[in-house]
Amino acid sequence: MKAQEMFRESVDNKEEFWAAQAENIEWFKKPTQILTNDGENYPTWYTDGELNTCYLALDKHINDGFGDQAAIIYDSPVTSRIIKYTYSEVREKVAKLAGGLQNLGLQKGDTAIVYMPMIPESLFAMLACARLGVTHSVVFGGFAPTELAIRIDDCNPKAIITASSGMEVARRIPYLPFVKEAISLSEHKPEHIVAFDRKLLGNRINHKADGLTDFDKLIAESEPVECVPVESNHPLYILYTSGTTGKPKGVVRDNGGHAVAMKFAIKNIYGANEGETFWAASDIGWAVGHSFSVYAPLINRNTTVIFEGKPIGTPDAGTFWRVIEEHKVSVMFTAPTAIRAIKKEDPEGEFVKKYDLSSLRTQFLAGERCDVATLDWYEEFVGVPAIDHWWQTESGWPMLGLMPGVEDVKIKRASAGKPIPGYDIKIFSEEGYELEAHHEGYLVIKLPLAPGAMTGVWGDPERFKFGYLSRFPGYYFSGDGAIKDEDGYVFVTGRVDDVINVAGHRLSTSEMEEVVSAHKEVAECCVVGIDDDLKGQVPFAIAVLKSGSKADQEQLEKDIVNLVREKIGAVACLKNAMVVNRLPKTRSGKILRKLIRTMLDGKEYQMPSTIDDESIVEELQQMMDLYKKEKI
Ligand code: COA
Ligand code: AMP
């Protein structure tokens, strides 16, 4: 079946289409109910099926005779290590770790946080949880203790699985002290901290003295356990992502729909064949890492590359190409910002030429809009198709894209492709009417979403309904704007809310505003995402001091930058803060964020008709010009 036929089938004969896809994974109990409407207008998939995701990722392949195939290649330029693990080796570690966690009291229905760097042990931890039916929540290492504490209090983990430290280029990141600080801040206190000692990075852990459980010892001293069957809708994981309000929301993913979707996507969209090497150069703390560094490649019996490094500086702009050559990567996935970083260091593709990239069939890009110049550079120097595709943490797999796994594809530059089977995408006007080709509007998706898409927001059904389902009844509201063309290709124009994408990392400007406003000298503030050549967008804070404040402006600007780094984490990348006298507002008192953003980007703007005081704009422009001249 071609992509368009598949799409039509997935929309017109949903149950038949997804029942057929469900045949491609092994169930402990095959589902008879394919699509169930729970009365809340958000249908769920495969309700009466039973399975285990860890079984599909590991045991099945060993039972099929592929135990000696490499499952994970850990490639760490920051520690000069390459280690390969076969499926049998991974299963042994995971089954024993699961046994150890079970001895600590963890069981189906519990939650556990995984706060770890890009090392194989992080995958062992995720898979051990999945083996027991324990719902894991991986937290990205670039988040500060406060952010970790928020997640601890939201999902109440019985255990936190962590490591002594991570490595950011040449900087050691102290994971364990961050965990301890987070627990001191959180109300909920996990019963166990299981800590992996990265001996080679120094700073050894004294597990006994610190009341920690030793990760390695737990594996060594525990008996392996079998996979626990779970219902299809049992939550495999919670992954927190930024929303329009300050508090991150826990996207919940099921087991059954997710496993079917992973198998479908990696074969049909990414075109990966069993046994090949698949590399998603993302951190496991993000949705891309969950789906395409861990679950999809393992479920599809690929070899997955776990890369602990950066596209540049570890040691140079040739690292990606070295990894592709050395591990014979067939399909690769990264964020455009990574390619932009390489292009900046290697404009003439000198590093690319040094390596044999003949194994590479397709490059996939997502996480943010991909600029045409980056695609051009890729085509000129690497020469394999670079396919832009669009998805969100909420979907867990692509919703727009092309499908080289089923047909030859025609790439339209600047477009993220066409709707993927299961995602009936429309472009709506403000009033909820479908727009014709070439008109920009809201990107919405007719319910039901495909299997694998989020099943809810952890512990907050109201937020789920309010955030995604109530704006256009019967449709999922993505938060992105888009335009369709006459051939059905969709061009994503960017977020229509307070979410920004910094180097492919999703962040909330409202969350940053909450942090900045908490400063004792700040009366009000606004944080917007401005254009950045490398990272796509970066946040910029503008603050107004409380009247009578004697604070030194320069110092306050530095304080704001430090505060955001301390409370949210280095990943927020807020490097610019500017103190002004007044903010432009509407007559009803709303800050004109779009105007501020346009002005900071140096683009032409129109004076909004709703503005309260036009003179503020001129005053602000002068201050911005001065700031840019002196500080950027
Ligand atoms: N743990 C701790 N700190 C981290 C971290 C982690 N896992 N990841 C990033 N950070 C820190 C960085 O060290 C940096 O700190 P600094 O301000 O002290 O330098 C800060 O967070 C910002 O990181 P980043 O935005 O990654 O910037 P960078 O300059 O280090 O690297 C790129 C820039 C483009 C090379 C890098 O962002 C990249 O490779 N991006 C690809 C994105 C990606 O994979 N996205 C996933 C979706 S596909
Ligand atoms: P995340 O949940 O971190 O995957 O971020 C999802 C958001 O990233 C989307 O809502 C988009 O705004 C943006 N995004 C992801 N992929 C693309 C793409 N290919 N083109 C444009 N924006 C993208």
Side-chain angles (χ1 to χ4, degrees):
M1 235 194 284
K2 292 272 173 69
Q4 182 55 22
E5 273 173 78
M6 268 193 183
F7 174 76
R8 282 268 47 103
E9 275 297 301
S10 76
V11 169
D12 298 339
N13 300 309
K14 296 179 194 54
E15 298 212 32
E16 289 81 351
F17 183 82
W18 289 110
Q21 302 311 323
E23 294 291 328
N24 296 327
I25 63 159
E26 197 177 313
W27 299 81
F28 292 162
K29 180 171 167 249
K30 261 196 188 174
T32 58
Q33 288 166 266
I34 303 302
L35 187 59
T36 312
N37 199 329
D38 66 358
E40 293 282 351
N41 201 18
Y42 191 80
T44 51
W45 295 96
Y46 312 121
T47 325
D48 64 344
E50 284 184 18
L51 74 164
N52 182 285
T53 300
C54 179
Y55 175 86
L56 296 174
L58 303 176
D59 301 62
K60 180 184 182 311
H61 311 314
I62 297 163
N63 295 348
D64 291 347
F66 295 100
D68 292 337
Q69 185 197 308
I72 299 173
I73 298 176
Y74 166 56
D75 188 310
S76 169
V78 294
T79 59
S80 307
R81 267 174 176 59
I82 294 176
I83 305 174
K84 296 186 185 181
Y85 294 87
T86 65
Y87 272 96
S88 296
E89 287 166 342
V90 177
R91 202 252 315 252
E92 192 189 342
K93 300 244 184 222
V94 168
K96 291 174 89 178
L97 180 59
L101 293 174
Q102 200 173 55
N103 292 340
L104 293 179
L106 274 86
Q107 57 181 355
K108 177 174 171 241
D110 288 334
T111 54
I113 279 186
V114 176
Y115 184 65
M116 293 178 92
M118 283 298 283
I119 52 177
E121 286 72 15
S122 313
L123 278 72
F124 303 161
M126 292 166 78
L127 291 161
C129 289
R131 196 170 187 86
L132 295 175
V134 169
T135 302
H136 63 67
S137 184
V138 181
V139 178
F140 177 59
F143 282 122
T146 327
E147 286 289 317
L148 182 56
I150 292 171
R151 288 152 175 81
I152 293 173
D153 277 333
D154 197 69
C155 75
N156 298 339
K158 194 173 245 179
I160 297 190
I161 309 173
T162 188
S164 49
S165 45
M167 205 59 192
E168 267 288 291
V169 191
R171 183 160 52 101
R172 207 163 49 78
I173 307 287
Y175 276 66
L176 193 53
F178 279 11
V179 169
K180 288 185 183 159
E181 194 181 332
I183 294 175
S184 74
L185 295 171
S186 65
E187 272 179 34
H188 173 83
K189 307 292 175 196
E191 288 173 30
H192 305 280
I193 303 174
V194 180
F196 173 67
D197 197 348
R198 293 193 80 184
K199 301 178 184 78
L200 83 131
L201 297 185
N203 194 23
R204 301 286 309 275
I205 306 176
N206 185 344
H207 288 95
K208 254 200 190 135
D210 285 346
L212 308 170
T213 303
D214 184 337
F215 185 97
D216 275 338
K217 237 178 163 186
L218 199 61
I219 293 182
E221 293 175 359
S222 303
E223 290 300 316
V225 291
E226 292 300 323
C227 297
V228 174
V230 301
E231 307 79 46
S232 180
N233 287 321
H234 181 72
L236 171 67
Y237 68 78
I238 307 162
L239 180 55
Y240 287 88
T241 191
S242 303
T244 47
T245 59
K247 193 180 161 211
K249 52 192 167 189
V251 165
V252 181
R253 186 99 53 228
D254 62 352
N255 275 268
H258 171 254
V260 174
M262 291 299 100
K263 182 77 184 172
F264 176 80
I266 198 158
K267 283 202 81 73
N268 296 290
I269 302 172
Y270 296 96
N273 302 312
E274 287 85 346
E276 290 183 328
T277 303
F278 187 95
W279 180 27
S282 163
D283 191 283
I284 50 150
W286 305 107
V288 175
H290 277 64
S291 296
F292 294 104
S293 300
V294 185
Y295 287 113
L298 295 181
I299 289 173
N300 197 44
R301 193 174 49 80
N302 293 114
T303 301
T304 183
V305 179
I306 298 300
F307 175 71
E308 192 183 29
K310 297 258 174 183
I312 51 171
T314 59
D316 55 37
T319 307
F320 272 22
W321 321 125
R322 194 265 307 155
V323 171
I324 292 170
E325 177 188 289
E326 196 161 343
H327 308 309
K328 304 212 167 12
V329 173
S330 300
V331 182
M332 197 205 163
F333 182 170
T334 191
T337 187
I339 305 296
R340 277 200 298 273
I342 294 173
K343 170 174 149 248
K344 194 164 165 233
E345 297 265 307
D346 186 20
E348 296 308 318
E350 295 303 330
F351 280 105
V352 188
K353 288 175 206 151
K354 289 189 191 166
Y355 298 94
D356 172 7
L357 304 182
S358 56
S359 65
L360 187 67
R361 217 166 34 240
T362 327
Q363 173 73 58
F364 286 87
L365 298 167
E368 54 173 330
R369 214 180 62 77
C370 185
D371 55 292
V372 169
T374 299
L375 286 175
D376 284 347
W377 181 90
Y378 199 92
E379 193 179 314
E380 181 176 354
F381 297 110
V382 187
V384 305
I387 300 182
D388 184 5
H389 62 323
W390 173 82
W391 54 297
Q392 301 181 309
T393 304
E394 288 84 345
S395 64
W397 62 288
M399 298 185 277
L400 283 172
L402 301 172
M403 300 181 67
V406 297
E407 63 184 16
D408 289 340
V409 299
K410 180 169 172 263
I411 296 173
K412 272 200 193 183
R413 284 140 89 245
S415 163
K418 296 182 180 186
I420 289 294
Y423 292 103
D424 192 4
I425 289 176
K426 317 242 180 241
I427 312 299
F428 270 12
S429 68
E430 189 79 43
E431 298 76 28
Y433 295 113
E434 188 169 359
L435 292 171
E436 291 186 0
H438 300 289
H439 286 79
E440 185 174 355
Y442 297 114
L443 195 164
V444 301
I445 307 165
K446 194 168 190 310
L447 296 177
L449 301 186
M454 71 191 291
T455 53
V457 172
W458 184 256
D460 202 345
E462 281 311 309
R463 191 169 181 198
F464 178 46
K465 269 188 244 166
F466 181 74
Y468 300 103
L469 308 177
S470 58
R471 174 121 190 210
F472 301 110
Y475 292 83
Y476 165 90
F477 175 55
S478 70
D480 275 300
I483 303 169
K484 239 185 210 182
D485 75 4
E486 60 286 356
D487 300 323
Y489 282 78
V490 178
F491 298 75
V492 177
T493 51
R495 298 289 305 196
V496 295
D497 54 17
D498 300 336
V499 169
I500 57 171
N501 263 285
V502 181
H505 304 143
R506 177 165 157 183
L507 298 160
S508 159
T509 52
S510 0
E511 189 173 9
M512 292 186 216
E513 282 181 7
E514 279 182 23
V515 171
V516 178
S517 312
H519 191 290
K520 62 179 189 327
E521 302 290 345
V522 172
E524 59 179 348
C525 76
C526 126
V527 178
V528 293
I530 61 165
D531 291 346
D532 183 79
D533 284 348
L534 176 64
K535 299 193 177 183
Q537 279 183 305
V538 286
F540 195 115
I542 300 198
V544 177
L545 295 188
K546 283 186 180 152
S547 63
S549 166
K550 300 265 181 309
D552 174 67
Q553 292 204 357
E554 287 266 330
Q555 187 54 45
L556 191 85
E557 289 171 0
K558 282 188 195 141
D559 286 354
I560 290 174
V561 168
N562 290 337
L563 199 60
V564 170
R565 191 178 173 95
E566 183 196 315
K567 297 284 179 200
I568 296 180
V571 68
C573 277
L574 184 107
K575 305 265 187 226
N576 291 298
M578 181 175 135
V579 173
V580 300
N581 302 327
R582 302 179 294 169
L583 288 168
K585 291 185 184 168
T586 63
R587 280 186 282 281
S588 60
K590 273 192 177 170
I591 297 172
L592 286 159
R593 290 185 170 73
K594 194 169 168 205
L595 172 71
I596 294 174
R597 201 175 64 217
T598 316
M599 289 171 74
L600 281 168
D601 280 337
K603 292 183 182 154
E604 263 185 47
Y605 57 85
Q606 277 191 332
M607 192 65 71
S609 56
T610 52
I611 195 163
D612 182 39
D613 181 350
E614 287 190 15
S615 68
I616 298 181
V617 175
E618 199 176 318
E619 175 185 307
L620 190 62
Q621 186 69 66
Q622 283 172 6
M623 294 182 93
M624 281 177 182
D625 291 345
L626 195 65
Y627 184 94
K628 281 189 188 168
K629 205 166 134 208
E630 289 179 355
K631 298 185 184 153
I632 300 188

